[in-house]
Amino acid sequence: MCRHCETRALSVCSPLEGEAFYGLQRLNHPVTFPARAVLFNQDSPARHVYTIVHGVVRLYKLLPDGRRQIVGFALPGDFLGLALADGYGFCADAVTAVSACRFSRDHFAEFADQYPTVLRRLHEMATHELALAQQQMVLLGRRDAEEKIASFLLALQQRWGRIHGKTSVTIDLPMGRQDIADFLGLTIETVSRTLNRMARDRLLVIVPDGVRVLDAAKLDKLASA
Amino acid sequence: MCRHCETRALSVCSPLEGEAFYGLQRLNHPVTFPARAVLFNQDSPARHVYTIVHGVVRLYKLLPDGRRQIVGFALPGDFLGLALADGYGFCADAVTAVSACRFSRDHFAEFADQYPTVLRRLHEMATHELALAQQQMVLLGRRDAEEKIASFLLALQQRWGRIHGKTSVTIDLPMGRQDIADFLGLTIETVSRTLNRMARDRLLVIVPDGVRVLDAAKLDKLASA
DNA sequence: CGCCATGTTGATTTCTATCAAATTGAGTGG
DNA sequence: CCACTCAATTTGATAGAAATCAACATGGCG
């Protein structure tokens, strides 16, 4: 029931009311995916668009020789298919079990043309994604391994904070070390070593499926340095 | 005179006709900048938006310690200020002499709200930028120096091709080595060495303010490898 | 002609990748 | 409940690509 959806405030439907809200709700096909399920591939035609409700999705591109770059993690409230274009620009698969609102791309695009509010919101979300992507370019191009890890952890802490309504010193990391490595332009060994060095230096504690921040100030300094 | 503008087909105004076209033209304040002029800074409030008509602009972010990441080069037809947000997300300055169409951000945003075609086009341009940014993340995170240079050259060749209507084996490089380095996440020495090694290996010839491609096949292979 | 930016080239260091092996831990079946 | 398996992670040793440090060359331009 969209009316009581806990991720509504974060999602594309946040500005909708009345007729527009119900109109979009009528187009919605709720779907779920088990962990590791593929939502779509880079080359496949973009038949659907999605809003993530629960769970985490990794978005990535592959080079012909198998190297992988994760371009983002989609969390609750995030929208997949912002471009409303014929093809997705990347692969998407579920890191955890995922539930999502699925819409036919054509129906959604038609709906967006009818309600400029939706198009405006979509553009707002797209430019926000663009800003994140540019921030990630700085991280990938100009930061060392320790700074990358610190930035990643704090950014994720903030995103979970917005989703849950309160920030926690425990940062959930549903994705594996290899995923973190492929997001930060590192290897799994460097991620592991860096996290464990941070734990040894009392910046954080490694807990099952996450970390707990001990020294936020030092992490902040690393992340912005 | 917008009517005969040679970059119109590439720019935000391409889909406009009749009243909308003249309406936007009335909002336009043509401006020029000499090389090295600052268009705006990362922290300054976003008073204007721009369409580049001639010349090249570099867009970059700075870290507190002076490290720089160039997030893009704006070429004729490109739009600056896609977010229509309160702040620019980056610094912009002129690499060459630049002429541009400048609009008040508020007036432009109002105009976009009036003409959904414009908003749609803006969104299309934003998602295109997003796709480019994601491609750049792959480059920064997962490619070695030689692949980075090859990809950069070919991407620029294609962009000039779209602007001039025909692709040329001579690729104009108005930006300096340091700019290329800061775009690709390398140092100036590595850029210089890699380009000169490519020249030694007969992949290309270095010419004043550019390169001439000799072995497009090998460069293609490097770029997509 | 000489000056200062920009670019090139060489020597060395450093960080991260790579290669290799050991450890942990969740799930399975005896 | 415990041995077993397999994947994920950690840890160690080494190699390698690019950064850094340091001259040196070039080439516009006053």
Side-chain angles (χ1 to χ4, degrees):
Chain A
M1 203 37 54
C2 293
R3 181 186 286 283
H4 309 107
C5 174
E6 51 199 270
T7 64
R8 180 165 165 203
L10 305 161
S11 73
V12 69
C13 39
S14 62
L16 297 185
E17 299 177 344
E19 180 49 38
F21 181 64
Y22 290 111
L24 189 56
Q25 193 174 335
R26 268 195 298 279
L27 296 179
N28 176 22
H29 295 266
V31 288
T32 62
F33 301 93
R36 283 145 207 277
V38 173
L39 276 74
F40 51 78
N41 278 115
Q42 179 159 4
D43 41 353
S44 61
R47 254 194 286 283
H48 303 106
V49 299
Y50 302 85
T51 289
I52 305 303
V53 178
H54 292 301
V56 178
V57 178
R58 65 181 163 227
L59 314 176
Y60 58 93
K61 285 169 169 277
L62 293 170
L63 292 176
D65 64 0
R67 281 176 288 178
R68 183 178 70 155
Q69 177 68 42
I70 291 184
V71 297
F73 294 101
L75 270 40
D78 287 343
F79 189 88
L80 302 182
L82 276 169
L84 302 181
D86 292 340
Y88 304 107
F90 41 74
C91 305
D93 53 37
V95 172
T96 64
V98 165
S99 67
C101 304
R102 186 169 78 183
F103 306 90
S104 140
R105 174 177 71 96
D106 292 339
H107 292 164
F108 191 91
E110 203 178 296
F111 185 80
D113 281 336
Q114 239 174 325
Y115 294 95
T117 309
V118 177
L119 184 52
R120 192 72 201 257
R121 174 77 179 125
L122 220 49
H123 183 244
E124 186 181 305
M125 292 179 90
T127 57
H128 180 247
E129 282 299 305
L130 183 57
L132 288 181
Q134 289 167 342
Q135 202 52 55
Q136 191 70 0
M137 286 166 60
V138 178
L139 181 150
L140 290 168
R142 286 294 178 237
R143 308 188 94 122
D144 67 23
E146 198 173 35
E147 294 170 339
K148 285 177 176 181
I149 298 279
S151 302
F152 170 69
L153 292 176
L154 293 176
L156 202 55
Q157 183 180 43
Q158 292 212 328
R159 291 182 72 191
W160 285 129
R162 295 203 56 215
I163 290 166
H164 295 129
K166 57 180 169 52
T167 68
S168 160
V169 295
T170 301
I171 306 170
D172 198 29
L173 298 174
M175 66 293 288
R177 298 288 186 264
Q178 185 65 60
D179 289 334
I180 298 174
D182 286 347
F183 184 53
L184 300 179
L186 300 170
T187 59
I188 184 174
E189 294 94 331
T190 299
V191 171
S192 178
R193 273 188 253 273
T194 305
L195 277 172
N196 285 295
R197 175 155 24 89
M198 285 174 162
R200 186 157 11 87
D201 296 346
R202 304 279 182 271
L203 296 190
L204 50 78
V205 183
I206 297 174
V207 299
D209 292 314
V211 300
R212 177 178 293 266
V213 175
L214 293 183
D215 193 335
K218 275 216 189 87
L219 280 178
D220 278 331
K221 200 159 80 187
L222 279 173
S224 69
Chain B
M1 204 35 57
C2 294
R3 181 186 287 285
H4 309 107
C5 174
E6 51 199 271
T7 64
R8 180 165 164 203
L10 304 161
S11 74
V12 69
C13 39
S14 61
L16 296 184
E17 298 178 345
E19 180 49 37
F21 181 64
Y22 290 111
L24 189 56
Q25 192 173 335
R26 269 195 299 279
L27 297 180
N28 175 22
H29 296 265
V31 288
T32 62
F33 301 93
R36 282 146 208 271
V38 173
L39 276 74
F40 51 78
N41 279 115
Q42 179 159 4
D43 40 355
S44 61
R47 255 194 285 285
H48 302 105
V49 300
Y50 302 85
T51 289
I52 306 303
V53 179
H54 292 299
V56 178
V57 177
R58 66 182 162 226
L59 313 176
Y60 57 94
K61 285 168 169 277
L62 293 170
L63 292 177
D65 65 358
R67 282 175 288 178
R68 183 177 69 155
Q69 177 66 43
I70 292 184
V71 297
F73 293 102
L75 303 185
D78 287 342
F79 190 87
L80 301 182
L82 276 171
L84 302 182
D86 291 340
Y88 304 107
F90 40 75
C91 305
D93 54 36
V95 172
T96 63
V98 166
S99 67
C101 304
R102 187 170 78 184
F103 307 90
S104 141
R105 174 178 70 96
D106 292 340
H107 292 163
F108 191 91
E110 203 178 298
F111 185 80
D113 280 335
Q114 243 174 323
Y115 294 95
T117 309
V118 176
L119 184 53
R120 191 74 202 255
R121 174 79 179 126
L122 221 48
H123 183 244
E124 184 181 304
M125 292 179 90
T127 56
H128 180 247
E129 282 299 307
L130 184 57
L132 288 181
Q134 289 167 343
Q135 202 53 55
Q136 190 71 358
M137 288 190 211
V138 178
L139 181 149
L140 290 168
R142 286 295 178 234
R143 310 190 93 125
D144 67 23
E146 196 172 34
E147 294 170 340
K148 284 177 176 181
I149 297 279
S151 301
F152 169 69
L153 293 175
L154 293 176
L156 203 55
Q157 183 180 45
Q158 291 212 328
R159 291 182 71 190
W160 286 129
R162 295 203 54 214
I163 290 165
H164 295 129
K166 56 180 169 48
T167 68
S168 160
V169 294
T170 301
I171 306 171
D172 199 29
L173 297 175
M175 66 294 289
R177 297 288 186 263
Q178 185 66 59
D179 289 334
I180 297 175
D182 286 346
F183 184 53
L184 300 180
L186 299 171
T187 58
I188 184 173
E189 294 95 330
T190 299
V191 171
S192 179
R193 273 188 253 273
T194 305
L195 277 172
N196 285 296
R197 176 155 22 91
M198 285 174 161
R200 187 154 13 88
D201 295 346
R202 303 278 182 273
L203 297 191
L204 50 77
V205 183
I206 296 173
V207 299
D209 293 311
V211 299
R212 177 177 292 267
V213 175
L214 292 184
D215 193 334
K218 275 214 188 89
L219 281 178
D220 278 331
K221 199 157 77 173
L222 280 173
S224 67

